[in-house]
């Protein structure tokens, strides 16, 4: 077929769920043309995933979506409580608590939000389609993928049955674990899902979403708690407590908690389907009543009453009740030639760590800049290194995936443990850990201490491990120097949308006295960088929280100082979220050992960090060689 019969673009994205939409948003911000093919006509109204960790929040921020996070998308999840025993009571004492309302994970954000996925996806769609580089085709079905030389030829059918042909540099399958890209194109080429972790997990659970309305004295005059002075909101809070619960009931493990905005009054309950049970049958109303209703039935003795009290059934609207197969699996390879898998198409998670959507976001962000790098190069009949670039991408991602899976599976083991001896030892071990301050702090942090572990180097990975390369760049709060302004996130100044350089240079200074020498050192790499790291785009961050009366006689454009937790708490960025507890404004430089010059990739990974001008010039030369290979 002649080229004129094809629509041409740089990238085709098959699937516009959270992963595909995030990839599109980042490609658009970096001026890469792409077409997104989505089989559904509209965003589903079914709230599926409900938890998003701080990496996911940071990803939304990087896509230009921050203001709606706490006003429209979700709420800070605060504490995760692990409760044991067979008694079906949600307000019992927890044997383990993790506090995700604090700001100590290295991103500047809280640990988790509980969100409404349809609203989250709607904001992602708005972000991606606001770019002139994005073309979204909904109600469209991918029917063929074929790689030929330097291009991928694909076909899709629109809602009217018309066939459309696309010629692209790359095609990304973000169409889920049963999507066309992996099932129809990749699997015949030997790419398959495999067990992703040594602790194999593969179970069926039922996921239930309820929308709860408040009972009142008028609508439910016989409800016994009115006589005890309870308000409608207090009744709701009593039966549907705020903190998320991991119910470690050896008879039937479960997880439950609120999600979305407080005013939405949405509640999720997930429970395991036991051997011999059918998942579809267990999601039927009669079985939901047997499994779930005991948790929203309180003993009368709790209130000094004779009869037990059940939350009014007619105040509950079922939004979802269906079985899901939860597994820990990953594809043996995530790319073949110019066709790539990411998100659920490449790996699937069990439900215990809220990592499904966040892992897809990480895939998208780390893939986006590599696609930009590859698409900036002219197509050629000569050999290309795109396979090395893409394999380095998923080698890195699999490292982080393994850590997330290990943490998720450990959470699952807490929830699903059924051996009485192991339960006894677990509970006593955790009890004694609380008497040791460092261990107690680790318990409170949960998985956040593991999330920022540096990548391990192997040949071909784009960072220099000898200079702190592979480290996750911590995000801090900052303010401009020399002019008034609100508190900002450091990512938003380092990776400002208008910047053209793929890698960015951050210069960390102890005080303003170092600025002149630092600028002189940076000016000497302008020729070495060959325009890849523009001098005008360098960001300077001063470590002093208060510059006081320090002279401001020099140019302070692109110069910022660290901001305190108190300054952030008083800024618009803190609206709707908890104030930043345990925030360390100096965490960025501490992790990098006080290095002055930090070369950073767009996925917030440090390429190299060094202290003097000669080291900087060396690292810039290496980075340019990679970017222009």
């Amino acid at each position: 077929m002649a080229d004129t019969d094809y629509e041409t673009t740089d990238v085709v994205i098959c699937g516009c769920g959270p992963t595909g939409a995030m990839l599109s948003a980042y490609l658009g911000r970096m001026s890469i043309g792409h077409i997104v093919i989505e089989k559904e006509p509209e965003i589903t109204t079914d709230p599926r995933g409900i938890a998003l960790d701080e990496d996911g929040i940071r990803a939304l921020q990087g896509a230009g979506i921050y203001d709606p996070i706490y006003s429209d998308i979700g709420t800070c999840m605060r504490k995760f409580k692990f409760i044991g025993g067979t008694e079906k009571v949600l307000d019992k004492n927890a044997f383990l608590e993790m506090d995700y309302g604090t700001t100590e994970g290295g991103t500047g954000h809280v640990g988790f939000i509980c969100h409404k996925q349809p609203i989250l996806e709607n904001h992602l769609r708005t972000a991606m389609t606001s770019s002139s580089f994005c073309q979204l085709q909904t109600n469209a079905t991918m029917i063929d993928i074929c790689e030929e030389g330097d291009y991928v030829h694909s076909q899709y059918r629109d809602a009217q049955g018309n066939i459309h042909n696309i010629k692209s540099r790359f095609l990304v399958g973000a169409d889920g674990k049963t999507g066309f890209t992996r099932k129809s194109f990749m699997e015949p080429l030997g790419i398959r899902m495999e067990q992703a972790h040594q602790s194999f997990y593969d179970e069926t659970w039922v996921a239930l979403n309820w929308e709860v309305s408040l009972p009142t004295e008028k609508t439910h005059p016989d409800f016994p708690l009115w006589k005890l002075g309870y308000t409608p909101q207090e009744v709701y809070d009593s039966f549907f407590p705020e903190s998320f619960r991991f119910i470690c009931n050896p008879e039937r493990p479960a997880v439950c908690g609120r999600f979305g905005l407080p005013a939405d009054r949405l509640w999720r309950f997930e429970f395991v389907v036991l051997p011999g049970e059918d998942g579809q049958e267990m999601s039927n109303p009669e079985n939901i009543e047997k499994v779930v209703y005991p948790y929203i039935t309180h003993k009368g003795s709790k209130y000094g009453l004779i009869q037990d009290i059940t939350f009014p059934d007619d105040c509950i609207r079922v939004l979802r009740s269906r079985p899901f197969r939860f597994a820990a699996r990953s594809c043996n390879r995530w790319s073949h030639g110019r066709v790539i898998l990411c998100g659920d198409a490449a790996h699937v998670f069990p439900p215990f760590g809220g990592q499904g959507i966040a892992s897809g976001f990480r895939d998208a962000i780390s893939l986006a800049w590599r696609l930009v790098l590859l698409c900036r190069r002219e197509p050629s009949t000569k050999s290309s290194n795109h396979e090395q670039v893409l394999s380095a991408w998923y080698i890195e991602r699999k490292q982080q995936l393994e850590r997330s899976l290990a943490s998720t599976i450990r959470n699952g083991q807490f929830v699903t443990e059924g051996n009485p001896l192991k339960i006894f030892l677990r509970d006593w071990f955790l009890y004694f850990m609380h008497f040791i301050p460092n261990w107690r702090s680790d318990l409170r942090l949960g998985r956040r201490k593991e999330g920022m572990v540096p990548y391990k180097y192997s040949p071909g990975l784009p960072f220099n491990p000898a200079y702190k390369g592979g480290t996750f760049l911590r995000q801090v709060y900052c303010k401009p120097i020399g002019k008034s302004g609100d508190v900002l996130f450091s990512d938003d100044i380092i990776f400002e949308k208008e910047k053209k350089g793929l890698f960015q240079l951050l210069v960390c200074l102890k005080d303003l006295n170092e600025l002149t020498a630092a600028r002189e050192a940076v000016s000497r790499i302008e020729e070495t960088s060959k325009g890849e790291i523009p001098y005008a785009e360098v960001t300077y961050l001063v470590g002093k929280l208060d510059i006081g009366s320090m002279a401001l006689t020099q140019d302070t454009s692109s110069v910022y100082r660290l901001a305190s937790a108190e300054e952030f708490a008083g800024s618009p960025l803190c609206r709707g979220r908890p104030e930043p507890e345990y925030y360390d404004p100096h965490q960025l430089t501490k992790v990098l050992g006080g290095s002055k010059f930090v070369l950073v990739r767009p996925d917030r990974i440090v390429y190299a960090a060094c202290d003097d001008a000669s080291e900087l010039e060396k690292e810039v030369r290496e980075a340019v060689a990679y970017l222009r290979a």
Side-chain angles (χ1 to χ4, degrees):
M1 186 174 293
D3 284 354
T4 53
D5 296 324
Y6 286 90
E7 183 174 1
T8 61
T9 189
D10 284 319
V11 179
V12 168
I13 301 173
C14 185
C16 195
T19 300
M22 181 63 74
L23 177 60
S24 170
Y26 272 74
L27 289 177
R29 290 174 73 87
M30 293 187 278
S31 305
I32 294 297
H34 58 283
I35 298 173
V36 184
I37 308 300
E38 168 55 43
K39 66 179 181 179
E40 299 297 333
E42 302 289 344
I43 296 171
T44 178
T45 58
D46 179 20
R48 292 159 290 165
I50 63 168
L52 189 66
D53 73 3
E54 60 189 303
D55 282 352
I57 301 170
R58 189 180 189 179
L60 290 175
Q61 172 204 334
I65 306 167
Y66 180 76
D67 290 343
I69 290 176
Y70 299 102
S71 62
D72 197 28
I73 295 174
T75 308
C76 175
M77 295 183 82
R78 297 187 183 269
K79 291 184 178 180
F80 288 1
K81 294 190 175 186
F82 292 76
I83 57 177
T86 57
E87 189 180 11
K88 296 177 174 60
V89 177
L90 295 180
D91 62 357
K92 65 174 64 174
N93 291 331
F95 66 81
L96 173 65
E97 284 192 6
M98 298 177 181
D99 189 353
Y100 285 101
T102 63
T103 310
E104 51 193 319
T107 66
H109 297 295
V110 297
F112 270 94
I113 61 166
C114 49
H115 64 86
K116 290 188 296 184
Q117 186 173 336
I119 303 300
L120 182 150
E121 290 194 47
N122 184 63
H123 283 285
L124 276 171
R125 290 273 181 102
T126 299
M128 56 182 277
T129 56
S130 64
S131 165
S132 60
F133 295 95
C134 170
Q135 181 186 145
L136 173 62
Q137 299 292 341
T138 58
N139 207 6
T141 305
M142 187 67 73
I143 58 175
D144 189 49
I145 299 171
C146 176
E147 185 177 359
E148 296 180 6
D150 291 326
Y151 296 94
V152 179
H153 299 273
S154 55
Q155 286 186 331
Y156 72 90
R157 181 183 292 111
D158 65 20
Q160 290 72 42
N162 301 315
I163 304 297
H164 300 263
N165 303 287
I166 309 175
K167 177 182 176 182
S168 60
R169 303 282 299 280
F170 296 92
L171 184 144
V172 180
D175 45 352
K177 57 188 176 182
T178 60
F180 179 87
T181 310
R182 181 167 62 82
K183 286 292 186 181
S184 297
F185 181 76
M186 293 295 216
E187 287 189 357
L189 297 172
I191 294 178
R192 61 193 180 277
M193 280 281 190
E194 298 177 334
Q195 179 180 333
H197 193 270
Q198 59 186 1
S199 298
F200 182 67
Y201 184 89
D202 194 347
E203 296 284 352
T204 298
W205 285 58
V206 170
L208 177 79
N209 289 340
W210 283 352
E211 182 181 58
V212 182
S213 59
L214 298 181
T216 67
E217 290 190 65
K218 183 176 181 180
T219 60
H220 296 79
D222 297 328
F223 191 68
L225 294 189
W226 309 137
K227 295 179 180 179
L228 301 179
Y230 277 72
T231 66
Q233 183 63 43
E234 288 171 340
V235 169
Y236 173 72
D237 291 339
S238 179
F239 283 86
F240 301 94
E242 183 177 353
S243 296
F244 222 77
R245 261 67 173 178
F246 290 82
I247 303 169
C248 308
N249 184 337
E251 295 178 353
R252 189 186 297 275
V255 181
C256 70
R258 304 179 188 182
F259 67 100
L261 299 178
D264 297 328
R265 288 189 294 276
L266 300 174
W267 196 61
R268 164 68 62 89
F269 194 99
E270 297 175 0
F271 62 88
V272 72
V273 175
L274 301 176
E277 295 177 340
D278 178 78
Q280 198 62 51
E281 289 183 2
M282 292 306 297
S283 64
N284 291 337
E286 58 270 21
N287 285 315
I288 294 299
E289 185 173 349
K290 293 177 184 176
V291 174
V292 183
Y293 272 69
Y295 287 99
I296 59 166
T297 298
H298 292 178
K299 291 190 176 297
S301 57
K302 176 180 178 179
Y303 306 98
L305 303 174
I306 297 175
Q307 293 185 327
D308 294 345
I309 306 171
T310 299
F311 189 84
D313 179 77
D314 58 351
C315 289
I316 296 170
R317 184 165 77 96
V318 179
L319 303 179
R320 147 192 286 250
S321 182
R322 56 182 292 188
F324 273 94
R325 193 77 179 174
F326 291 114
R329 292 178 180 163
S330 174
C331 285
N332 55 331
R333 300 200 317 275
W334 294 10
S335 69
H336 183 282
R338 294 176 176 272
V339 181
I340 308 153
L341 299 174
C342 68
D344 285 351
H347 49 76
V348 291
F349 269 83
F352 306 110
Q355 290 299 295
I357 292 178
S359 287
F361 282 180
R362 295 185 194 104
D363 291 351
I365 295 167
S366 58
L367 176 61
W369 73 264
R370 289 170 164 95
L371 289 175
V372 174
L373 172 68
L374 294 171
C375 288
R376 285 180 178 178
R377 299 170 180 171
E378 289 297 323
S380 171
T381 57
K382 299 178 182 179
S383 61
S384 169
N385 73 338
H386 65 274
E387 292 191 354
Q388 293 96 313
V389 170
L390 294 174
S391 64
W393 162 68
Y394 66 74
I395 287 170
E396 282 188 354
R397 287 294 304 120
K398 280 192 172 187
Q399 288 187 39
Q400 202 283 330
L401 187 79
E402 272 292 311
R403 289 196 291 268
S404 295
L405 272 172
S407 174
T408 297
I409 288 171
R410 280 197 298 274
N411 280 358
Q413 289 169 340
F414 273 135
V415 179
T416 60
E417 183 58 68
N419 184 298
L421 177 60
K422 289 183 178 181
I423 292 173
F424 174 82
L425 293 174
R426 175 201 67 192
D427 292 355
W428 276 102
F429 176 70
L430 291 170
Y431 174 77
F432 283 116
M433 281 186 73
H434 282 85
F435 291 100
I436 302 173
N438 288 342
W439 290 6
R440 184 170 63 244
S441 176
D442 288 349
L443 287 176
R444 180 177 53 79
L445 275 173
R447 63 170 296 274
R448 278 180 288 177
K449 288 198 68 158
E450 302 165 358
M452 291 270 181
V453 176
Y455 285 135
K456 294 180 180 178
Y457 182 76
S458 61
L461 299 190
F463 58 83
N464 188 336
Y467 289 88
K468 303 291 193 304
T471 303
F472 286 77
L473 184 74
R474 270 56 175 176
Q475 177 166 231
V476 292
Y477 312 139
C478 54
K479 294 192 73 171
I481 286 179
K483 56 182 178 180
S484 61
D486 288 328
V487 175
L488 303 167
F489 287 114
S490 57
D491 280 4
D492 293 342
I493 58 173
I494 298 169
F495 304 102
E496 192 177 352
K497 185 178 180 181
E498 288 71 23
K499 292 185 176 181
K500 303 299 182 185
L502 200 53
F503 287 7
Q504 288 293 321
L505 179 60
L506 170 66
V507 182
C508 300
L509 308 175
K510 293 179 181 177
D511 55 51
L512 278 176
N513 294 324
E514 297 181 338
L515 180 58
T516 299
R519 278 186 164 151
E520 289 177 357
V522 171
S523 68
R524 290 199 292 272
I525 61 114
E526 190 168 10
E527 183 176 347
T528 305
S529 71
K530 298 179 181 179
E532 296 290 351
I533 305 165
Y535 176 81
E537 294 183 358
V538 176
T539 302
Y540 298 85
L541 185 61
V542 178
K544 282 187 175 292
L545 296 176
D546 185 2
I547 61 171
S549 59
M550 186 176 291
L552 297 175
T553 57
Q554 52 192 316
D555 177 19
T556 56
S557 58
S558 301
V559 184
Y560 301 80
R561 68 161 175 86
L562 292 178
S564 67
E566 291 75 20
E567 286 176 306
F568 180 86
S571 78
L573 295 179
C574 200
R575 289 175 187 160
R577 55 152 283 177
E579 294 184 3
E581 284 188 86
Y582 303 107
Y583 168 71
D584 180 3
H586 301 285
Q587 59 184 317
L588 190 157
T589 50
K590 284 180 179 178
V591 170
L592 296 174
S595 298
K596 182 178 294 184
F597 303 105
V598 188
L599 200 55
V600 192
R601 300 173 356 189
D603 53 356
R604 286 51 171 168
I605 301 296
V606 173
Y607 178 86
C610 55
D611 293 316
D612 60 46
S614 61
E615 291 175 332
L616 173 61
E617 188 170 2
K618 173 179 175 290
E619 293 309 316
V620 168
R621 186 177 292 109
E622 289 181 1
V624 170
Y626 173 80
L627 293 170
R628 294 197 165 190

